[in-house]
Amino acid sequence: MKVARSTPAFQPLYQQIKSLITQGLISGEWSPGSVIPSEIELARRYEVSQGTVRKAINELAAENLLVRHQGKGTFVSSHAEENRRYYFTRIAADRGERVLPDAELLEFRRGKADARVAARLGVSAGASLLVLRRVLRDAGRPVILETVRLPAALFRGLTAELLAQRGALLYSTYESVLGIRVLKAEESIKAVRADAEAAVRLEVEPGSPLLAVERVALTYGDRPVELRHSLCNTRDYHYQARIV
Amino acid sequence: MKVARSTPAFQPLYQQIKSLITQGLISGEWSPGSVIPSEIELARRYEVSQGTVRKAINELAAENLLVRHQGKGTFVSSHAEENRRYYFTRIAADRGERVLPDAELLEFRRGKADARVAARLGVSAGASLLVLRRVLRDAGRPVILETVRLPAALFRGLTAELLAQRGALLYSTYESVLGIRVLKAEESIKAVRADAEAAVRLEVEPGSPLLAVERVALTYGDRPVELRHSLCNTRDYHYQARIV
DNA sequence: GAGTGGTCTAGACCACTCA
DNA sequence: GAGTGGTCTAGACCACTCA
């Protein structure tokens, strides 16, 4: 395919190559974990120089869509990879490493999006949702009570059995089972009082302070795909953030 | 200055150029807000190609140390710049924009680092500190109660008068008055109960849930320069985080 | 129009991986 | 040794800024 070099709305060549490669990722031509064609091959295919392809790939790698390995090739990044697995887990134990939680599925049901949820998920009010609630434990102690809302239209095929047989890490399931790739997330955090249910589930006094995290997870084009509310007992845990 | 092209511990040329430019920033040869020499001039100075200088500058720009402006030049980034001013302010109003706080200095004193503080700040236990406590208000209502600890050796010359006459944004003061550049920060967040003092200062009931943020601010070489504890009333505010 | 950074090319050579 | 990405160069031309 030949790219346009002068269009009414001019875009640099490497930006056009970025879009073409991203299309290949969205369409599934190259799937998570697999290798994409070499720079030289892509340069031939798109009829641009290797340097232009490299610039496009470097930006996609900086955005964590691709991973480069000298001598081996360029790979589609995947939540199954060791270093991506806990990328979205921001809760860590005060002493020690990031929590590898063990998830107990409390509930898995269909629901409808109210106005607020609909706005966050970019669906219309009343749209059908899958709702799942879980408790995440660390070393047997409950740490996080979580409610996850997913647009049912997107997550057709997700079942409680599937969730049970795969671990606590949902994004790897979304990716491999449903082909939905979570790329980034925006979180909004507050301190709240434990309500009666949270107190029971997290084994704290009612009214205890909990960290409330609302996450919107985004896929290609910043399209929201998941809304997640977590209540976290931060007595022995904390949320890690970095400002760079 | 000629850079080494083959050293025992080999480093790519552009990495060496990055270090040289960073040295210029640390030494104050180029100060915040000012323009650094053009790519062509730096290429001449370091006896490398323009492309190599560009690669070095691009990485420094990606790390927010430099800001490029086509047609104008490459500038040392500064906390005084409009788009850097609120970069480290992660608390926002639920409805509306990031908070422009109005700071009341409660206390400004010398202190000593206990073991925990010393570890965070990378100073020896018992080291002399400047400690300042403030309340940040938004639209007249108190939102954040903050304790800031600074290694006294680094912050010689910082006075209560100086803090009073400049606004709530400390990093711009550190930068312009003391030549200390905060580049990034690591935060650890918990939900806690308001103690008696926080309750009074933030006008909430004792025991109310507050967001407790511990920040370590870092300068060049990831050296810590500030330890900040914030207690935030998140009733109408939230902490924003992004996972990319 | 001179000077800046931004894009693009072509080509050389290096570092790493793997059979 | 063939193939991958990584570094480096030289040079052309474009887009933007400012006097």
Side-chain angles (χ1 to χ4, degrees), chain A residues 11-201:
Chain A
Q11 239 201 339
L13 266 182
Y14 79 91
Q15 290 283 5
Q16 299 176 47
I17 304 303
K18 266 185 81 171
S19 302
L20 290 168
I21 296 174
T22 304
Q23 283 310 315
L25 298 174
I26 295 174
S27 74
E29 175 175 0
W30 307 306
S31 54
S34 68
V35 68
I36 71 168
S38 72
E39 294 176 353
I40 290 173
E41 198 174 325
L42 289 172
R44 261 199 299 266
R45 177 189 307 198
Y46 299 132
E47 298 182 43
V48 297
S49 76
Q50 189 180 353
T52 298
V53 169
R54 171 170 298 136
K55 181 152 185 172
I57 291 179
N58 280 343
E59 291 209 351
L60 292 168
E63 295 164 21
N64 290 321
L65 300 197
L66 298 175
V67 180
R68 318 198 70 165
H69 290 295
Q70 189 176 5
K72 292 167 70 174
T74 300
F75 297 78
V76 183
S77 74
S78 163
H79 288 286
E81 276 164 52
E82 202 43 58
N83 48 355
R84 283 293 281 181
R85 290 183 70 169
Y86 298 107
Y87 195 76
F88 287 83
T89 306
R90 307 304 331 162
I91 301 286
D94 290 345
R95 31 185 56 247
E97 278 314 293
R98 202 155 287 177
V99 177
L100 166 54
D102 154 67
E104 180 196 350
L105 189 61
L106 301 175
E107 192 180 356
F108 181 80
R109 61 176 174 86
R110 298 187 79 89
K112 294 221 169 295
D114 63 26
R116 208 178 121 282
V117 166
R120 293 279 196 283
L121 280 175
V123 298
S124 43
S128 185
L129 301 178
L130 297 180
V131 181
L132 58 116
R133 307 195 69 222
R134 321 190 293 165
V135 171
L136 303 183
R137 284 169 215 281
D138 183 46
R141 313 275 306 261
V143 180
I144 302 173
L145 173 62
E146 202 165 73
T147 305
V148 179
R149 291 186 173 81
L150 306 166
L154 231 54
F155 284 78
R156 237 177 272 290
L158 187 65
T159 62
E161 294 71 52
L162 219 54
L163 288 167
Q165 95 195 31
R166 303 184 55 100
L169 296 168
L170 294 178
Y171 295 168
S172 155
T173 304
Y174 298 171
E175 174 183 294
S176 61
V177 178
L178 303 152
I180 294 171
R181 306 210 46 218
V182 171
L183 302 176
K184 44 185 172 170
E186 286 166 6
E187 300 197 320
S188 164
I189 307 173
K190 287 178 175 262
V192 301
R193 283 180 213 277
D195 62 18
E197 198 212 349
V200 171
R201 296 293 188 192

Side-chain angles (χ1 to χ4, degrees), chain B residues 93-126:
Chain B
D94 290 346
R95 31 185 55 245
E97 279 312 296
R98 203 155 287 176
V99 177
L100 166 55
D102 163 63
E104 179 196 351
L105 189 60
L106 300 175
E107 192 180 355
F108 181 81
R109 61 175 175 87
R110 298 188 78 89
K112 294 220 170 296
D114 63 25
R116 206 177 124 282
V117 167
R120 292 280 196 283
L121 280 174
V123 297
S124 44

Side-chain angles (χ1 to χ4, degrees), chain B residues 30-50:
Chain B
W30 306 306
S31 56
S34 68
V35 68
I36 71 167
S38 72
E39 293 176 353
I40 290 173
E41 199 174 324
L42 289 172
R44 260 198 301 265
R45 178 189 307 198
Y46 299 132
E47 296 181 47
V48 298
S49 77
Q50 188 180 353

